[in-house]
Amino acid sequence: MNPGSESDSNASGRRSQSAFALIDGNSFYVSCERVFNPKLEGRPVVVLSNNDGCCVARSEEAKALGVPMAAPYFQIQKDFERAGGIAYSSNYGLYADLSQRMMSVIGQFSDRQEIYSIDESFIEWTGFRRFDLTTLARDLRQRVKRWVGIPVGVGIGSTKTLAKAANRLAKNHPDFKAHGVCNLLDLPESLQDSYLARLAVGDVWGVGARWAQKLQNLGIRSARDLKQVDPGWIRQHFSVVLERTALELRGTPCIEFEEAPPPKQQIISSRSFGQPVTTLEELTQAVSAYTARAAEKLRAQASCTGALTVFLQTNPFNVKEPQYHPSMTLRLASPSADTRILIRAALSGLKHLYKPGYRYQKAGVMLLDFSAATVEQGDLFSAFSDPTTSINPRTDRAQLMATLDQLNQKLGRGTLWIAAEGVKQNDVKQNWQMRRGHLSPAYTSRWDQLPVVRAIEYA
């Protein structure tokens, strides 16, 4: 046996004895709003999408009122507010900050953690007895609630797919909802199957709407049905990806654990405007701001981009107005992550795309053709370092961008910005900025909006 095979065998043996847990924040955006506003407890609360459009998060009380997911708020507003409901605009800075804190606490319970989304995290446990895991999960849940203020559900299974299913049970099934923890490893397989039989196949992690419809047409309607189908047949009629999902439901780990997510291959920064925009000046500010945000994400994953696409869009649903949906891709002389270089390129494309006489609803920038920042390709005609001095333009640009990011992370996004993004004043709002008429304070990222605790003197 060669060393590689032995290593693979040891890894497989370790994973077969592992348990996976999925920790998920309950109605995460709503829970974030409640952390600093306890008066919201027990009230119907919804959080709205960009421009205060649709309901993207709902409290249990809002769900009980029949508020559907993605409901346009203007359609339900009167009845919702009459019932005592309250709506909030998406406070992305607050949610991201509390997510980081929550993930940090979760990471204390395992040395293997995969942050799956803003409110979901997988961890892997090895070497614990099964009954220890339930106790450990309850300790985790209590610590997150006590230290961060976010209620979470914990699902435990022998694979990531089963952990995902268990998490759903932990939050929704009356047998587990009271404690918020579902450990499938504590249950006999017959009881596990009875729960999986109640889970629609379309709700299984990794099964999309198209596959779900095809599976239902074949009589495979639940997670238990998918578990019992021959994996080879699934691979033949669907794909190896769905075969892995079926094997995971059988308890065979097939989906890799990603402690560090792979770098993105493209980054899109785009928003619908709060009001229609008609002038080049306003579009310049919007495109500059979107490019700056995309560049920040690019540097966060230590990448450079060799090309970017700029696009504009009018309102496709307003058939009475002229339509215009242009885009342009521009290549850079050499890959870069410098916000100034990317904004210069994006504005060059914008000037070619812009036409007066249209009411633009949306603009955006897409970065593509990535390479690692450590192997940045030079340009024959670009500035070069002078060995007789300490000047190195490429290093100086990187240091400047690192300083920009550090200050904005420490003091709040928007502390420093590129002039092309426009003058930023608290009492002046550009038309292109999102409508956020129900925005809560930036409780954790702006000094002037930090919560204040006042002492009360008693006579």
Side-chain angles (χ1 to χ4, degrees), residues 406-455:
Q406 289 169 6
L407 286 173
N408 283 331
Q409 289 171 6
K410 183 176 181 179
L411 301 178
R413 182 171 297 155
T415 301
L416 291 180
W417 68 92
I418 305 299
E421 299 177 50
V423 177
K424 299 185 178 182
Q425 299 177 358
N426 293 334
D427 57 345
V428 177
K429 185 174 179 65
Q430 295 99 325
N431 288 333
W432 57 268
Q433 291 181 323
M434 285 190 302
R435 288 195 311 273
R436 293 202 283 181
H438 308 277
L439 186 64
S440 57
Y443 293 109
T444 64
S445 58
R446 290 189 55 169
W447 287 105
D448 60 333
Q449 296 181 24
L450 293 180
V452 176
V453 178
R454 294 182 174 87

Side-chain angles (χ1 to χ4, degrees), residues 23 50 64 109 127 152 177 186 189 228 255 280 282 291 403:
I23 302 93
N50 294 344
F109 285 80
V152 299
K177 192 172 181 179
D186 278 346
E189 187 171 0
Q228 294 175 343
I255 300 175
L280 179 60
E282 290 178 300
T291 305
T403 302

